[in-house]
Amino acid sequence: MIRRPPRSTPLYSSAASDVYKRQHLVGQEPIILFMATIGLAYFMEGLGDMMWGSEIKKLDVGLPQGINLWIDETTYNIFDYGFFIDNLDIVATIIAVILVGGLVIFAQYTKEGRAMRAVADDHQAALSVGIPLRSMWVIVWSVAGLVALVTGIMWGASSSVDFSLVLIAMKAFPVLILGGFTSVPGVIVGGLIIGVGEKIAELYWGDALGGSIEQWFAYVLALVFLMFRPQGLFGEKIIERV
């Protein structure tokens, strides 16, 4: 005769439970994880300033720069005015498309990517089916580090490199809020909306509002979405049963 375990019995093993309990940030509320990430970012920024200084550094990795003459001449012949597009922007766009495509394929069609999404949804449920959290965290940090490295190289080649870049990285949160935390295509659309919206707002309302709209436009737009559509454009609506 097979006895069913009582409802209070956890579905995961005691060993997995012990591992779960030893991880201080595992299973915590999203706001706790968010604040821990912000605190760690500021700590690393201050530590970096102490170790390498806060001077602005120029990064030259040999990427092509300067106006693309072919696009300028072609658009001038068609529209009677040329489009100024930097060669570095074209390279950055190509690299971004490759990165996004690779991330989508990895998250949707590989075993590690699906396991990573399962861990993101529910740590306890992932442990109950035998997904190792430590391995998933190594993969997550490795992928995030690779994307951050490529992004930093592209930004440093086009502008400069200093520790104030963390303020630019903060705009990732409004992008996630607009697109939805559970949708990769939504993040792409959210990034395009914020990028184009910043330029249009600065062009039409910059003088009336004192300029520098690009510094706060993304956060105001994210606030509006949090009030009326907190799950974002493509995110899954969260339904809590009481």
Side-chain angles (χ1 to χ4, degrees):
M1 179 178 180
I2 301 176
R3 295 182 178 179
R4 295 180 179 274
R7 292 181 180 272
S8 60
T9 303
L11 295 177
Y12 45 90
S13 64
S14 59
S17 177
D18 293 339
V19 173
Y20 185 87
K21 293 178 181 178
R22 289 199 300 267
Q23 309 299 330
H24 299 292
L25 293 178
V26 176
Q28 298 293 338
E29 295 294 330
I31 186 61
I32 297 178
L33 300 178
F34 175 79
M35 295 307 299
T37 302
I38 298 298
L40 180 61
Y42 279 110
F43 171 77
M44 294 178 65
E45 180 183 356
L47 181 63
D49 283 337
M50 293 175 56
M51 295 178 62
W52 295 291
S54 58
E55 296 81 9
I56 298 176
K57 301 175 179 62
K58 182 68 177 179
L59 185 62
D60 185 10
V61 293
L63 295 174
Q65 299 189 23
I67 183 174
N68 189 292
L69 297 177
W70 181 83
I71 295 179
D72 181 62
E73 294 175 357
T74 302
T75 53
Y76 181 82
N77 294 331
I78 297 175
F79 303 105
D80 292 333
Y81 55 86
F83 290 175
F84 182 88
I85 299 179
D86 197 292
N87 286 314
L88 186 60
D89 293 335
I90 298 176
V91 174
T93 302
I94 296 173
I95 293 177
V97 171
I98 294 175
L99 275 178
V100 171
L103 289 174
V104 171
I105 293 174
F106 173 75
Q108 298 288 341
Y109 301 104
T110 66
K111 181 176 67 174
E112 291 78 10
R114 291 191 292 268
M116 185 176 65
R117 291 165 55 199
V119 172
D121 288 338
D122 192 320
H123 291 159
Q124 291 190 14
L127 278 172
S128 69
V129 296
I131 297 177
L133 291 183
R134 189 177 300 276
S135 299
M136 290 300 103
W137 288 329
V138 170
I139 294 175
V140 169
W141 280 99
S142 300
V143 172
L146 175 63
V147 174
L149 174 64
V150 175
T151 304
I153 290 175
M154 298 307 302
W155 184 269
S158 63
S159 179
S160 59
V161 176
D162 61 2
F163 287 96
S164 64
L165 286 177
V166 68
L167 299 176
I168 299 174
M170 290 297 181
K171 288 190 176 180
F173 293 111
V175 170
L176 290 172
I177 292 173
L178 260 69
F181 283 85
T182 59
S183 174
V184 174
V187 172
I188 299 173
V189 175
L192 292 174
I193 291 175
I194 287 181
V196 175
E198 286 179 342
K199 300 302 180 182
I200 294 177
E202 187 71 38
L203 177 63
Y204 289 100
W205 305 311
D207 295 336
L209 298 178
S212 299
I213 293 180
E214 296 184 23
Q215 302 298 324
W216 51 263
F217 176 83
Y219 303 101
V220 173
L221 190 59
L223 180 62
V224 173
F225 267 76
L226 285 175
M227 290 189 296
F228 297 101
R229 191 177 175 84
Q231 73 272 19
L233 292 174
F234 298 90
E236 298 177 358
K237 189 173 182 179
I238 300 176
I239 300 176
E240 296 185 357
R241 295 179 175 84
V242 180

